Amino acid sequence: MSAQQSDWIEMNRTALVLAPTGLLQELPFSPQDQTSDQVIHEINAAIGCTVSAVVRLTDTLEMWLDEEGIRRQPVNVYATLLARRYGFVHQDYRGVALLATVDPHGVPLGLEPSQTAALRSQLLSLPVIPPIHSPS
């Protein structure tokens, strides 16, 4: 991969934000020049909370949620079913979920375009009614 291609991928990283209503949105998310506090603030703003928690679905895929959501957020059936595909079967997940990847040091990063497309396809295949939808 050329340096120009690598720069393009870094600039085009996104997180997927999945609401309990099934609304799926892409959010520009390329925090490589931010402090960890800035990254957490950006994640919290995207999911609408002040305290977030992370569920590490795989070595490279994370799902961020409202830490206090268990008391005040509706069940996110879509995020719950996605987590179950990765073996997290013991609880329901609530509120808005942000899906991102991590670097080898565990720092959250946006998904590369190919990762976004693959995860979007996986989410759209979830057997949920109403199905996941994206804004036009």
Side-chain angles (χ1 to χ4, degrees):
M1 179 182 305
S2 72
Q4 186 178 20
Q5 288 171 319
S6 179
D7 288 345
W8 181 85
I9 288 173
E10 288 304 316
M11 292 183 330
N12 289 294
R13 287 184 176 267
T14 59
L16 289 176
V17 179
L18 180 57
T21 60
L23 178 63
L24 180 65
Q25 297 179 295
E26 283 187 44
L27 172 73
F29 188 71
S30 187
Q32 68 269 13
D33 295 328
Q34 297 180 359
T35 66
S36 60
D37 285 344
Q38 290 170 319
V39 173
I40 297 300
H41 178 76
E42 187 174 344
I43 290 169
N44 290 351
I47 61 178
C49 71
T50 55
V51 180
S52 56
V54 65
V55 178
R56 186 163 256 190
L57 299 174
T58 71
D59 289 344
T60 59
L61 180 61
E62 293 182 337
M63 181 171 67
W64 291 81
L65 302 143
D66 181 351
E67 172 73 25
E68 298 167 332
I70 197 154
R71 291 185 282 265
R72 59 185 172 91
Q73 297 289 346
V75 171
N76 187 326
V77 176
Y78 311 92
T80 299
L81 287 176
L82 179 67
R84 288 185 179 156
R85 284 191 172 177
Y86 290 97
F88 292 84
V89 298
H90 301 293
Q91 74 179 62
D92 291 334
Y93 294 95
R94 296 176 171 271
V96 176
L98 180 137
L99 299 156
T101 190
V102 292
D103 73 9
H105 306 287
V107 176
L109 292 172
L111 301 157
E112 292 179 3
S114 61
Q115 293 170 312
T116 300
L119 188 54
R120 179 183 288 277
S121 177
Q122 185 177 16
L123 289 165
L124 291 172
S125 75
L126 292 173
V128 181
I129 296 175
I132 289 177
H133 56 281
S134 296
S136 308

